[in-house]
Amino acid sequence: MIEVEVKAKINSFEEMEEKLAEIGATKTKKEFQEDIYFNSPVVDFAKTDEALRIRTTKENDEENIFITYKGPKINKEAKTRKEIEMGIENAQECSDIFEAIGFKKVRAVRKNRQYYSYEDFEISLDDVEGLDPYMEIEIGLNDGEDYTEAQNSIFELFEKLGITDGFERTSYLELLETFNIN
Amino acid sequence: MIEVEVKAKINSFEEMEEKLAEIGATKTKKEFQEDIYFNSPVVDFAKTDEALRIRTTKENDEENIFITYKGPKINKEAKTRKEIEMGIENAQECSDIFEAIGFKKVRAVRKNRQYYSYEDFEISLDDVEGLDPYMEIEIGLNDGEDYTEAQNSIFELFEKLGITDGFERTSYLELLETFNIN
């Protein structure tokens, strides 16, 4: 799967919630996400622009755990990249396996994420521990599909929601690492 | 978890099945297991005596998938080693993730395994594609528990079943690699 995603800093969640309601976006699930990022013993994922993480999501009483690998971004404007995600049984055992085969824990990124659905878009209002409010808009493409159109449609949707600047290509992980927030 | 396991070549499954019945071992599940082994980009697992595999088990219509990491053997007689095993959702996606983070597929090991239970032991009659018949006896220990006693009790059980030689410390993977059987 190829994901095309763009995020931008926003002024407030309340303002954006109103605008999303105005255009008719549907509020879907709200969940807490804890991502534990790992770095490779072979290459520095910060330099190769890859990511390997264990994500634990909590929504009410339901907990789900995934391994996600994200490949390097393949264009500059949006974060367009290969993503492989797979459900797993146990975050601690997975972390133990990653460490046993030479991977190192980088840090955890924790956020409350409110999802919205609108046309083919998935919109997220992200309250990341230690960071300003962000909104992310994403479209999933199948391998081989053209991403330029998808990317343009994402920027059009941002404009419709009144956002024309504040776009951020840096990941939450890197933003936290830059500010060295623990 | 620490697993202590010893395997030995046997003359025939039928003969061993009779002996297992005589001592009162209980036939439990029979399953087909396909293990895909991976090697590390950092070290050669064949040299460091580690293993990373994806195991898919099939028992009637039920399929289960696991990642298993096995640490180096910590003594010479039995295969005593740290093992971490975790259920996962999808073997192909897992294989894609392992390859994306630099691991290389080594080969597949396929077998029909008949499990037996006897006291604290797990006994397996292993019909491995490309190899002679083997029987494996295993005990699981918690971290820190002494393994010498466990190991001795395994050899006593082999003797009880009439097996005093043919012990094999080499893994099925290495045996297949040695004979270069595809």
Side-chain angles (χ1 to χ4, degrees), chain B residues 21-38:
Chain B
E22 277 170 27
I23 66 164
T26 316
K27 216 172 196 172
T28 55
K29 66 183 169 175
K30 179 169 190 159
E31 63 186 21
F32 173 76
Q33 303 180 335
E34 180 179 66
D35 297 339
I36 312 287
Y37 284 88
F38 290 82

Side-chain angles (χ1 to χ4, degrees), chain B:
Chain B
M1 228 268 288
I2 301 288
E3 54 160 35
V4 188
E5 63 177 44
V6 182
K7 70 166 171 289
K9 204 182 272 198
I10 55 173
N11 292 325
S12 82
F13 292 120
E14 295 68 23
E15 184 191 332
M16 209 42 63
E17 279 170 10
E18 281 175 27
K19 287 199 171 149
L20 285 163
E22 277 170 27
I23 66 164
T26 316
K27 216 172 196 172
T28 55
K29 66 183 169 175
K30 179 169 190 159
E31 63 186 21
F32 173 76
Q33 303 180 335
E34 180 179 66
D35 297 339
I36 312 287
Y37 284 88
F38 290 82
N39 204 356
S40 163
V42 194
V43 294
D44 183 357
F45 281 165
K47 293 204 176 74
T48 58
D49 190 24
E50 294 167 278
L52 178 68
R53 72 169 183 225
I54 303 171
R55 167 168 290 182
T56 304
T57 66
K58 284 175 194 158
E59 190 194 0
N60 303 321
D61 282 342
E62 204 190 319
E63 187 176 280
N64 287 292
I65 313 167
F66 309 88
I67 296 174
T68 311
Y69 166 80
K70 295 192 178 209
K73 298 179 200 71
I74 54 180
N75 73 333
K76 287 197 180 150
E77 294 71 27
K79 284 169 69 183
T80 305
R81 39 170 51 185
K82 188 179 181 67
E83 177 175 317
I84 314 171
E85 189 156 71
M86 174 189 65
I88 63 167
E89 202 180 60
N90 188 299
Q92 185 55 54
E93 282 173 339
C94 187
S95 175
D96 290 347
I97 291 172
F98 282 165
E99 293 194 309
I101 62 175
F103 285 70
K104 301 270 179 249
K105 259 184 212 170
V106 180
R107 73 177 300 142
V109 176
R110 295 181 193 86
K111 63 174 166 300
N112 281 298
R113 169 172 275 185
Q114 173 66 60
Y115 285 99
Y116 283 82
S117 171
Y118 178 69
E119 293 173 356
D120 293 336
F121 305 96
E122 186 183 77
I123 304 164
S124 312
L125 296 182
D126 286 345
D127 187 4
V128 184
E129 277 184 22
L131 295 180
D132 289 326
Y134 280 90
M135 177 169 70
E136 197 169 86
I137 303 180
E138 182 178 327
I139 294 188
L141 297 180
N142 294 316
D143 288 350
E145 270 189 271
D146 181 69
Y147 56 77
T148 322
E149 203 183 325
Q151 192 181 299
N152 291 341
S153 68
I154 291 177
F155 283 109
E156 281 164 22
L157 179 53
F158 268 110
E159 208 179 329
K160 197 168 176 175
L161 292 164
I163 294 173
T164 51
D165 60 8
F167 297 111
E168 181 60 78
R169 208 168 155 262
T170 310
S171 69
Y172 296 135
L173 172 67
E174 289 165 295
L175 289 169
L176 289 166
E177 287 288 286
T178 305
F179 300 137
N180 200 19
I181 299 159
N182 284 298

Side-chain angles (χ1 to χ4, degrees), chain A residues 99-115:
Chain A
E99 293 194 311
I101 62 176
F103 286 70
K104 302 269 178 248
K105 260 185 210 167
V106 180
R107 73 177 298 141
V109 177
R110 295 181 193 88
K111 64 174 167 301
N112 281 297
R113 169 172 274 185
Q114 173 66 60
Y115 286 99

